[in-house]
Structure formats: structure tokens, C-alpha cells
């Protein structure tokens, strides 16, 4: 999922962050049951959590380091407000994942079928998440 975003040689931090948010949103949209599975199987079970950390951490740590470096460069330039990379990542994850955790209720409450209406909602929500996070970083 992060391999698309890992190339942080992009000219603007904002473009990289947009790609991170969109890529993660699209991944969860394609795997909407995954967040609850992860919660049940990995977060709630210490053995599974240990396995997941040992399997995925080596792949994700270089990404986190590069994103942290890029974020701190932007903070130093004054283009974004002070924020730790972990809070930034938590904002991305929580904004995107909550959409799909709440989806069964949203579908019923707002009569979102699985067709065009749903596609339109998800496209709007994806962009809304991007804008919300980018706006939260602006000084």
C-alpha cells in the first residue's frame, strides 16, 4: 500500500501527503472488512500482534522515517504547523478507516446503495479526508 508513496522525492510535501491519504483510503475501500479484522485478530491478540509487527515493521519503518524527515523540513520552512509524524499518521488512519467502519450504518441511514450513489459518496469522502488533513496542517 505504501510503496506508491514511498518515493518521497516528489517536489511538494503536500503531493506526497495527498497520495498517502488517497492510497490508504483506496486500499481500505477495496478491503472494507480489513479494519475490523485487524482489530479483532491483530490488535486484540498479543501473538498475532507480535507476528504483524515483525512482518510489517521492516517495510514500514523506512517510510515512517522518510515521512518524518519530510514533515520536519516543512515545519522548519513554516509551511505546516508543528505536528509529530505519529499524530499525522493517526489522523490519516482514523479519518479513512472510520468511513468504512461506519459504512453499514451510513448506507442504511442515508440510503447509499452499492452503485453510483455510493461511488459518488466515497469519492467525495476521499477528497474531504484529504482536505481536512491538509487544512489541519496549515499554520
Amino acid at each position: 500500500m505504501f510503496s506508491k508513496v514511498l518515493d518521497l522525492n516528489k517536489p511538494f510535501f503536500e503531493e506526497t501527503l495527498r497520495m498517502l491519504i488517497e492510497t490508504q483510503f483506496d486500499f481500505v475501500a477495496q478491503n472494507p472488512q480489513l479494519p475490523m479484522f485487524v482489530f479483532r485478530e491483530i490488535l486484540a491478540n498479543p501473538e498475532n500482534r507480535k507476528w504483524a509487527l515483525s512482518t510489517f515493521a521492516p517495510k514500514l519503518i523506512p517510510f515512517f522515517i522518510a515521512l518524518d524527515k519530510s514533515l520536519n523540513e516543512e515545519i522548519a520552512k513554516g509551511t505546516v504547523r508543528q505536528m509529530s509524524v505519529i499524530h499525522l499518521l493517526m489522523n490519516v488512519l482514523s479519518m479513512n478507516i472510520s468511513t468504512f467502519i461506519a459504512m453499514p450504518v451510513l448506507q442504511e441511514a442515508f440510503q447509499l446503495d452499492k452503485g453510483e450513489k455510493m461511488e459518488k459518496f466515497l469519492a467525495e469522502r476521499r477528497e474531504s479526508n484529504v482536505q481536512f488533513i491538509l487544512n489541519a496542517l496549515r499554520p
Side-chain angles (χ1 to χ4, degrees), residues 3-94:
S3 60
K4 281 192 210 175
V5 184
L6 199 52
D7 175 18
L8 291 174
N9 293 323
K10 299 199 177 315
F12 300 106
F13 173 75
E14 191 170 306
E15 289 178 29
T16 300
L17 187 55
R18 172 181 283 280
M19 186 180 286
L20 167 66
I21 298 163
E22 291 174 346
T23 300
Q24 200 266 339
F25 186 95
D26 293 345
F27 178 79
V28 178
Q30 292 170 5
N31 304 280
Q33 302 302 314
L34 189 61
M36 291 307 293
F37 172 78
V38 168
F39 181 75
R40 280 190 308 271
E41 298 299 323
I42 295 175
L43 298 178
N45 183 320
E47 285 299 312
N48 290 346
R49 185 169 48 252
K50 186 176 176 182
W51 171 84
L53 286 172
S54 67
T55 302
F56 298 114
K59 297 172 185 168
L60 294 176
I61 287 173
F63 170 78
F64 295 145
I65 291 169
L67 184 62
D68 186 50
K69 180 179 181 236
S70 185
L71 174 63
N72 286 318
E73 287 171 359
E74 294 302 313
I75 291 168
K77 287 190 243 176
T79 57
V80 300
R81 71 177 185 82
Q82 182 70 41
M83 180 180 286
S84 72
V85 74
I86 192 153
H87 287 297
L88 175 58
L89 290 169
M90 288 300 296
N91 289 345
V92 172
L93 291 171
S94 61

Side-chain angles (χ1 to χ4, degrees), residues 116-133:
E116 285 181 34
K117 201 172 185 182
M118 177 59 82
E119 287 178 31
K120 182 177 186 264
F121 169 78
L122 289 176
E124 290 170 350
R125 184 66 192 164
R126 180 182 187 238
E127 182 59 25
S128 176
N129 290 357
V130 168
Q131 292 306 315
F132 188 91
I133 292 165

